[in-house]
Amino acid sequence: MNIAGIKKIIVLVLILAVPGFLYYLLTVKGKNRYHPLPVYGPKTLAKTTHRVQGKDIPDTIYHALGDFHLVDQNGKPVSLKTFDDKIFVAGFFYTHCPTICNELNSNIDSLVINYAKNKMVYFASITVDPARDSVKVLNAYARKFESTQKWMFLTGDTATIYPLARQGFLVNALQTAKDDFIYSDKLILIDQHKRIRGYYSGTSLPDVIRLNDEIKVLISEELRNREEPLY
């Protein structure tokens, strides 16, 4: 078994070895211990208010993703609407990346397998080299992984992808030479309201485990809002 395969097994074992974590986090002796994840990005105060202990508190407008139009590895159009009522994890890569992308996507693959039956959680990997990463190339690349039913490999054009990275996900993405790209190794957790709720290094095992835990926390947050089953 190669190193990537061994690492994937380790990730899966660590992810699945703590099934009581979420229960412990949320309840202890019937008391709610739930603490919501932070919301990242710039914030502004709205003109509307809500009352807290008899006081009018200004509402906060949080940073959220703007709409975009890309295509997945099967040639299907993907926009922000695709993720309506969904939690999703996004990241950036390119198929001919020599090292980091393989490790990052191997870790995503473990998470995709873990959430295969969850109707809320999806994954999106966006190429920073759309000139080379066509639908056909992405389709072939996706076949390297075990489960891509809920994992979209997205391409489009740099006029869409680079601003989406910088202004939407608030991470770097640009081309500096023919085969040289600057992009973030961060995986970004997005909630149902299209807000950023966490950043995680996709090549760090502790960060991937933390992402797995915080996906569960976000699912619980959405369950409290929706009050309906996900399965």
Side-chain angles (χ1 to χ4, degrees):
M1 182 178 294
N2 59 29
I3 294 175
I6 294 173
K7 185 171 183 180
K8 183 177 292 186
I9 290 175
I10 293 173
V11 171
L12 283 171
V13 168
L14 290 173
I15 285 173
L16 298 175
V18 287
F21 168 81
L22 186 62
Y23 179 82
Y24 174 79
L25 180 69
L26 299 179
T27 58
V28 173
K29 296 181 179 179
K31 296 181 180 180
N32 179 26
R33 286 177 52 115
Y34 171 70
H35 297 287
L37 301 177
V39 179
Y40 290 83
K43 306 172 181 65
T44 58
L45 294 179
K47 294 181 180 180
T48 57
T49 62
H50 61 280
R51 293 188 70 80
V52 176
Q53 296 181 347
K55 295 182 179 181
D56 289 327
I57 306 297
D59 294 321
T60 302
I61 301 174
Y62 293 98
H63 171 78
L65 293 179
D67 198 12
F68 58 85
H69 297 277
L70 300 170
V71 293
D72 70 10
Q73 70 268 31
N74 299 310
K76 295 181 179 180
V78 174
S79 68
L80 196 61
K81 187 173 178 59
T82 304
F83 300 100
D84 280 356
D85 299 320
K86 302 289 189 295
I87 294 166
F88 74 99
V89 176
F92 292 85
F93 82 112
Y94 58 105
T95 60
H96 55 101
C97 170
T99 54
I100 293 175
C101 298
N102 290 331
E103 185 177 1
L104 184 151
N105 285 331
S106 177
N107 287 336
I108 294 176
D109 194 30
S110 298
L111 291 169
V112 174
I113 293 169
N114 196 34
Y115 289 95
K117 295 183 179 180
N118 189 293
K119 296 179 181 179
M120 181 181 287
V121 182
Y122 284 75
F123 298 83
S125 293
I126 306 169
T127 180
V128 295
D129 187 13
R132 291 180 62 171
D133 288 342
S134 64
V135 169
K136 183 178 180 180
V137 170
L138 289 182
N139 188 279
Y141 182 83
R143 294 177 186 273
K144 295 168 48 177
F145 302 99
E146 292 184 34
S147 178
T148 57
Q149 184 177 358
K150 302 176 68 178
W151 186 4
M152 305 172 196
F153 293 83
L154 304 179
T155 189
D157 56 67
T158 56
T160 297
I161 292 171
Y162 291 175
L164 174 62
R166 293 191 296 266
Q167 300 166 20
F169 293 105
L170 307 181
V171 296
N172 284 329
L174 70 153
Q175 184 172 6
T176 56
K178 182 180 178 181
D179 290 315
D180 192 12
F181 299 86
I182 294 175
Y183 65 98
S184 174
D185 76 335
K186 298 298 185 185
L187 297 177
I188 307 138
L189 180 60
I190 306 295
D191 69 15
Q192 286 185 311
H193 304 288
K194 314 302 190 295
R195 303 174 303 184
I196 299 170
R197 304 302 295 274
Y199 289 98
Y200 317 83
S201 173
T203 59
S204 164
L205 184 57
D207 265 24
V208 173
I209 294 171
R210 180 168 62 89
L211 170 57
N212 175 70
D213 289 338
E214 294 190 355
I215 289 173
K216 295 175 183 177
V217 172
L218 194 52
I219 288 171
S220 293
E221 178 181 305
E222 300 298 347
L223 274 171
R224 290 171 184 272
N225 293 335
R226 290 172 50 168
E227 296 184 351
E228 61 183 47
L230 294 177
Y231 300 95

